[in-house]
Structures are given as C-alpha cells and as structure tokens.
Amino acid sequence: MSTTTTSTTALSSPVKPPAFQRVSGRRRIKDTAATVLVTLSVVVALIPLAWVLFTVVAKGLPALTSPTWFTHSLSGLTSSSMGGGIYHALVGTLLQGLVCAIISIPLGVFVAIYLVEYASRSRLGRITTFMVDILSGVPSIVAALFIYALWVSTFGMPKSGFAVSLALVLLMVPVVVRSTEEMLRIVPQDLREASYALGVPKWKTIARIVLPTSLAGIITGIMLALARVMGETAPLLILVGYAPFINLDLFGGEQGTLPGVMVAEMNNPTDAGSQRIWGAALTLILVIAVLNIAAKLISRYSQVGKK
C-alpha cells in the first residue's frame, strides 16, 4: 500500500519546476519604475522638439501661403518690402546638396565596402577608420576653413557654390561611411559563404547580394546624411556670399541659399525680414522632411520588391 502511494506521488509531482514562475512584487515595482522613467524621458525630449516645430510652422506658414513664395526671388525688393519669394535660395540649396551627394555617396559607399569586405584588420583599414572617426567630429567651420585654404587660397579659385559643396562633402562622407558600414555588417555571413560556394567572385557577391540586401538601410543613411549637411551655415558664410537673385552658376558668383536668407535677414527689424526668416526656416524643414519621406518610401518599396 505504501509503495503504491509513493509511486503515485512521484508520478503526480513535476520532474522540474515550471519555466514561468510568478513575478515577485519587488520586480514588478522595478519594472513599473523603469517604464515610468523611460516614458517621462521620451516626453521631456519631445516637448522642446514639438515646441520648436509648432513655433516655426506658426510663424513661417504665412510666408509659405504667399502665391509668390516658391516662384519669385527677393531681387529688387528692399528690406521693408513685403512680397517676393524663396525660389533663388531653394534652387541654390538643392544645387549645392546635389553636387555634394554626387561626390559623397559613391565615395562613402566604396570606403564602407572596403572597411567591411576587404580591410580585415589591416593597417590601412585601421588608419581609414581612425580618419573617419576624426572627420565625424570635425565642426563645419573647420571644414569650411580647410576648403578655403585649399580651394581659394592655394588653387586661386573663386568663392562659389561648388566650394560650399566640397566643404559639405567633408561633413557628409563620414556619416555615409558609418551608416553604410553598419548596414553591411548586418548582412549575414552565410549569404556571402553560400555565394562563394557557388563559385561567384567576391566583387559580384558584393554587388548582387550584399548591397541589394542592405540597400534600404544604406539609402536611409544617405538621406539622413544629406539632410544634416543641407542646413549648415558656416560654409556659406566663408565660401560664398548671399545673393537675393537666382544664380545657377556653381563655379562663380554669390548664390542664395535657405540658411543664407536667414542670416541675411537676421538684422532686418521689419515684419518683412521676420517673415522671410521664419518662412525660410519652415521651407528648409519641409525639404528635409521630403528627403526623409523619400528615404522611407524607397526602403519600403525595395523591401516589397525583394519579397
């Protein structure tokens, strides 16, 4: 009888304790406290951002609703004259950003490919990583002074929008390198090894497998880097002057830009100056927002294409 009771007790008792045990009250308190702190941190960080965005939209929207804002320049207008538009500055900003992107994107992507796929802890790879880290922390005014010393003083070239683009390249390349490098490292090594096992050369594996797999993240990083440099002001002040009229020549003459409008109108105490400043600021925010939205759309459609 006792043997039967012992066997029944042994069979009914679990072999090991359950994996999911009841959470103690102390752990619940800690979890709740951590959740509250994280939520408060997010709210505190969002308050000034939302405040800035609301202020810019509220003060800059009247300028954007003007029918001539995107179709006219400020040529021929006095400091107190209402009207005009931002057409010249928008074109100048986009031209400088386009030239900067044409130079920075292939340079940054190729450097990232070398660091991830070919460097393999080589001396040149360590030096390149060190230089990229240094460039990541260089202030924009230092990049502008370097281009001024090299492009204007040494080579004797005139101040121009192209010189501004060269300074922006120094600021954009390290961001592109870092973002592309991280995206390439995310690609599983098994994909590379499977391609090598099929006899595919390394360069073709990178071009056909590695880059398409990480394309969405690379494009997002590029767009964020471009949005960062398009609002820089120091290169504009040092390497090109501000012009209130349209100038499509990137290699000579003063050129209007969105940050340049804000700097030029800063000492204008009239309502027209204030409207131009806030309107240019809101226009620059919209340009950056369009770049970010384009990056998201490209990433989404590239992922859908893979599926």
Side-chain angles (χ1 to χ4, degrees), residues 9 13 18 48 62 70 95 111 145-146 148 171 177 184 186 190 195 230 259 262 268 271-272 275 296:
T9 305
S13 62
F70 292 104
L95 284 177
V111 171
L145 290 174
F146 171 75
Y148 180 86
L171 303 174
V177 172
L184 294 178
I186 293 177
D190 295 342
S195 179
M230 289 183 67
M262 290 181 271
N268 187 355
D271 294 337
Q275 183 174 344
K296 294 296 183 182

Side-chain angles (χ1 to χ4, degrees), residues 40-235:
L40 288 177
S41 300
V42 174
V43 172
V44 170
L46 288 179
I47 287 176
L49 296 177
W51 195 354
V52 169
L53 183 60
F54 175 78
T55 303
V56 174
V57 171
K59 295 188 177 183
L61 193 59
L64 268 68
T65 55
S66 172
T68 61
W69 183 252
F70 292 104
T71 58
H72 290 67
S73 66
L74 297 177
S75 179
L77 295 177
T78 62
S79 59
S80 59
S81 299
M82 300 295 291
I86 209 71
Y87 173 72
H88 64 296
L90 182 60
V91 171
T93 298
L94 293 179
L95 284 177
Q96 294 175 10
L98 178 62
V99 174
C100 173
I102 292 174
I103 300 174
S104 301
I105 292 174
L107 186 61
V109 171
F110 287 153
V111 171
I113 291 175
Y114 168 76
L115 292 176
V116 176
E117 305 292 340
Y118 293 97
S120 64
R121 299 181 181 179
S122 64
R123 183 177 181 181
L124 180 59
R126 292 195 299 269
I127 295 175
T128 304
T129 302
F130 178 70
M131 296 304 297
V132 170
D133 292 337
I134 292 177
L135 281 177
S136 300
V138 170
S140 58
I141 190 171
V142 175
L145 290 174
F146 171 75
I147 295 299
Y148 180 86
L150 179 66
W151 184 256
V152 179
S153 299
T154 303
F155 293 159
M157 303 300 293
K159 294 182 178 180
S160 60
F162 184 75
V164 175
S165 298
L166 294 179
L168 298 181
V169 166
L170 297 178
L171 303 174
M172 183 174 176
V173 164
V175 181
V176 175
V177 172
R178 278 287 168 254
S179 60
T180 305
E181 187 178 358
E182 293 300 324
M183 292 300 104
L184 294 178
R185 294 187 188 279
I186 293 177
V187 178
Q189 188 64 27
D190 295 342
L191 293 178
R192 298 179 176 88
E193 294 176 355
S195 179
Y196 299 152
L198 295 174
V200 180
K202 188 171 186 176
W203 68 269
K204 188 174 289 187
T205 300
I206 297 172
R208 297 291 181 86
I209 296 177
V210 178
L211 287 178
T213 304
S214 57
L215 183 61
I218 292 175
I219 293 177
T220 302
I222 289 173
M223 291 297 184
L224 293 177
L226 184 59
R228 173 191 178 265
V229 302
M230 289 183 67
E232 293 291 345
T233 307

